[in-house]
């Protein structure tokens, strides 16, 4: 196949069937493309749409995002997961204001130098928002190219090199923005991970895996990644008279970095000693709520929430940057929470309201 034939046919298909209605394909700008590309990493389009619309209402441009508090940004991200993406968005907005006079940079290397932006995302911003020739290689494109060429490179680095070569060879000189969106759409709606719709695929005639009836074999699976397990207890210090629970801001790196959560105590620690040592509280009574599992890409976390009635020993801990009393009946107070913490707060709100005289 001539490399020029593939984009030509793909663009014809895109003109008729492309998803041009998506909100980030209206009023295209580097800012909107960047936000959508980051949200779309590991997340489906239908999930992203309401988040994108809300985000644009809260932070309609780079200045608004750079001036927001990190907690406000994380609050808008609550539920999308992979929170380092939100923290990097915020850092990048500030960096563009300070280092690039508020103008989105216009070269691949400069865009890639920004926090949280890799080569493929930088290329998508350049191609879609600035119509500059640059090749993307996201999960969709990898899958399509692997099948088109039945790629069976022996090593990960050889595979990476081959994929980038192919991605670049197909990138057209004209209409690069539309081509980039077209190949994304092909992966999202036709060349699906499982059960691709080959009968309706516009590039079927070029596809080696289809011609050899071997589509299910590509892309070749990476070695299975083992997912570890860990158990923890979330300590819910509850002040019934104030209808408050104690929250802590998590460290900036690691699971749920920078988000608000409950204090945690590992399953094998002595709970009473832990509460006394770290919080200055004597435990009067504990009630375990049902355990639940939260799965990250690399970890199954088994969480047992423990509601604790307590009395302070000596000086009560005061609020500071890292700890805060949270009124259960006052919504989320513009704080960022991971999805399971948000659900747990809602459960507690219902439970304690129900228990109130
Ligand atoms: Fe993907 Fe099937 Fe099209 Fe090949 S023919 S690119 S496997 S959808």
């Amino acid at each position: 196949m001539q490399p020029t034939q593939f984009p030509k046919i793909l663009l014809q298909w895109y003109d008729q069937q492309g998803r041009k209605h998506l909100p980030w394909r209206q009023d295209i700008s580097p800012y909107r493309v960047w936000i959508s590309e980051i949200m779309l990493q590991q997340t489906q389009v239908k999930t992203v749409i309401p988040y994108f619309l809300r985000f644009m209402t809260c932070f309609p441009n780079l200045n608004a995002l750079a001036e927001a508090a990190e907690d406000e940004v994380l609050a808008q991200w609550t539920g999308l997961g992979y929170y380092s993406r939100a923290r990097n968005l915020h850092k990048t907005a500030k960096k563009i204001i300070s280092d690039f006079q508020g103008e989105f940079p216009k070269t691949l290397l400069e865009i890639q130098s920004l926090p949280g932006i890799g080569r493929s995302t930088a290329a998508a911003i350049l191609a879609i928002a600035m119509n500059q020739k640059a090749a993307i290689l996201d999960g969709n494109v990898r899958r399509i190219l692997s099948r088109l060429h039945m790629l069976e490179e022996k090593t990960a680095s050889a595979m990476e090199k081959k994929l980038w070569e192919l991605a670049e060879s197909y990138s057209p000189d004209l209409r690069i923005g539309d081509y980039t969106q077209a190949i994304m759409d092909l992966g999202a709606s036709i060349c699906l991970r499982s059960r691709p719709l080959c009968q309706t695929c516009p590039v079927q005639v070029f596809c080696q895996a289809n011609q050899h009836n071997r589509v299910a074999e590509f892309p070749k699976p990476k070695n299975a990644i083992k997912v570890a397990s860990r158990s923890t207890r979330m300590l819910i210090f509850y002040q019934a008279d104030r209808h408050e629970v104690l929250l802590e801001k998590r460290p900036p790196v690691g699971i749920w970095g920078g988000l608000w959560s409950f204090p945690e105590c590992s399953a094998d620690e002595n709970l009473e000693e832990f509460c006394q040592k770290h919080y200055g509280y004597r435990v009067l009574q504990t009630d375990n709520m049902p355990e639940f599992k939260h799965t990250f890409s690399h970890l199954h976390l088994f969480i047992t929430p423990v509601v604790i009635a307590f009395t302070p020993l000596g000086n009560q801990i005061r609020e500071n940057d890292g700890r805060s009393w949270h009124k259960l009946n006052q919504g989320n107070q513009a704080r960022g929470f991971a999805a399971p913490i948000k659900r747990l707060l809602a459960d507690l709100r219902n439970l304690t309201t129900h228990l109130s005289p």
Side-chain angles (χ1 to χ4, degrees):
M1 163 186 34
Q2 290 290 324
T4 50
Q5 288 177 300
F6 179 78
K8 191 174 164 202
I9 293 194
L10 197 56
L11 281 164
Q12 284 167 0
W13 171 79
Y14 178 73
D15 286 340
Q16 290 163 8
Q17 301 192 39
R19 300 176 301 172
K20 302 181 198 78
H21 59 280
L22 294 173
W24 44 89
R25 292 186 181 173
Q26 322 298 317
D27 303 323
I28 289 179
S29 68
Y31 177 70
R32 287 168 68 85
V33 173
W34 165 51
I35 301 294
S36 67
E37 284 297 312
I38 300 297
M39 285 187 170
L40 286 163
Q41 289 168 2
Q42 288 108 13
T43 314
Q44 291 192 337
V45 165
K46 67 174 189 297
T47 307
V48 166
I49 288 173
Y51 279 94
F52 179 82
L53 293 172
R54 276 199 300 272
F55 201 91
M56 285 300 144
T57 304
C58 290
F59 316 114
N61 52 47
L62 204 60
N63 277 316
L65 181 57
E67 283 166 12
E70 187 186 75
D71 266 354
E72 291 177 74
V73 180
L74 289 169
Q76 290 307 316
W77 205 269
T78 293
L80 265 182
Y82 301 98
Y83 292 90
S84 58
R85 294 184 296 172
R87 286 192 298 278
N88 280 333
L89 279 183
H90 193 221
K91 277 190 211 149
T92 288
K94 286 171 177 285
K95 198 167 164 55
I96 294 176
I97 299 291
S98 62
D99 297 3
F100 296 92
Q101 294 78 47
E103 283 281 317
F104 220 97
K106 294 184 175 62
T107 69
L108 195 63
L109 281 181
E110 282 174 328
I111 300 178
Q112 265 184 267
S113 74
L114 298 168
I117 302 186
R119 179 174 168 185
S120 184
T121 302
I125 297 167
L126 274 180
I128 298 170
M130 306 184 208
N131 209 31
Q132 275 196 49
K133 187 169 172 178
I136 65 158
L137 188 59
D138 65 2
N140 284 329
V141 179
R142 284 170 191 274
R143 188 165 62 251
I144 294 165
L145 295 176
S146 300
R147 288 170 174 169
L148 278 179
H149 292 271
M150 294 206 301
L151 295 183
E152 298 191 75
E153 315 304 299
K154 296 274 182 293
T155 64
S157 60
M159 179 64 87
E160 198 67 8
K161 186 164 176 280
K162 185 74 189 169
L163 284 166
W164 276 110
E165 279 171 12
L166 288 169
E168 281 170 354
S169 74
Y170 286 133
S171 296
D173 293 329
L174 297 175
R175 297 189 66 193
I176 183 70
D178 287 345
Y179 167 80
T180 302
Q181 294 174 103
I183 198 161
M184 288 173 173
D185 283 5
L186 186 74
S189 57
I190 304 279
C191 194
L192 304 169
R193 202 182 309 266
S194 56
R195 297 172 196 258
L197 309 174
C198 299
Q199 294 313 313
T200 57
C201 176
V203 293
Q204 187 186 18
V205 61
F206 304 128
C207 180
Q208 293 180 25
N210 181 271
Q211 282 157 27
H212 291 88
N213 204 19
R214 291 180 59 192
V215 171
E217 294 174 43
F218 298 92
K220 291 288 176 192
K222 290 185 189 155
N223 290 342
I225 302 163
K226 272 196 184 151
V227 178
S229 291
R230 184 161 73 77
S231 295
T232 189
R233 286 177 291 184
M234 288 198 169
L235 309 185
I236 300 166
F237 293 112
Y238 177 54
Q239 304 216 81
D241 53 338
R242 296 162 161 245
H243 207 43
E244 287 178 341
V245 291
L246 185 67
L247 295 180
E248 288 183 343
K249 191 165 189 176
R250 299 183 65 95
V253 288
I255 290 170
W256 298 329
L259 298 178
W260 289 86
S261 184
F262 293 100
E264 274 185 52
C265 168
S266 71
D268 49 12
E269 285 214 57
N270 180 303
L271 187 76
E272 284 74 15
E273 285 175 9
F274 182 90
C275 294
Q276 194 159 326
K277 182 172 166 200
H278 295 283
Y279 297 89
Y281 293 158
R282 185 155 68 86
V283 173
L284 301 176
Q285 187 183 329
T286 61
D287 284 301
N288 286 8
M289 292 170 71
E291 182 188 72
F292 63 94
K293 182 172 85 169
H294 185 76
T295 296
F296 301 89
S297 52
H298 63 297
L299 178 73
H300 295 303
L301 185 62
F302 291 87
I303 300 168
T304 303
V306 185
V307 181
I308 301 175
F310 65 95
T311 185
L313 293 165
N315 287 339
Q316 241 222 78
I317 52 161
R318 291 194 305 272
E319 295 209 347
N320 56 32
D321 278 353
R323 285 180 182 170
S324 173
W325 287 98
H326 175 87
K327 288 214 178 293
L328 286 172
N329 53 5
Q330 279 186 9
N332 290 330
Q333 300 168 19
R335 287 191 173 125
F337 296 111
I341 306 304
K342 205 173 172 186
R343 272 200 307 277
L344 197 46
L345 283 168
D347 288 350
L348 285 166
R349 198 154 40 237
N350 293 338
L351 189 70
T352 50
T353 306
H354 181 67
L355 292 176
S356 297

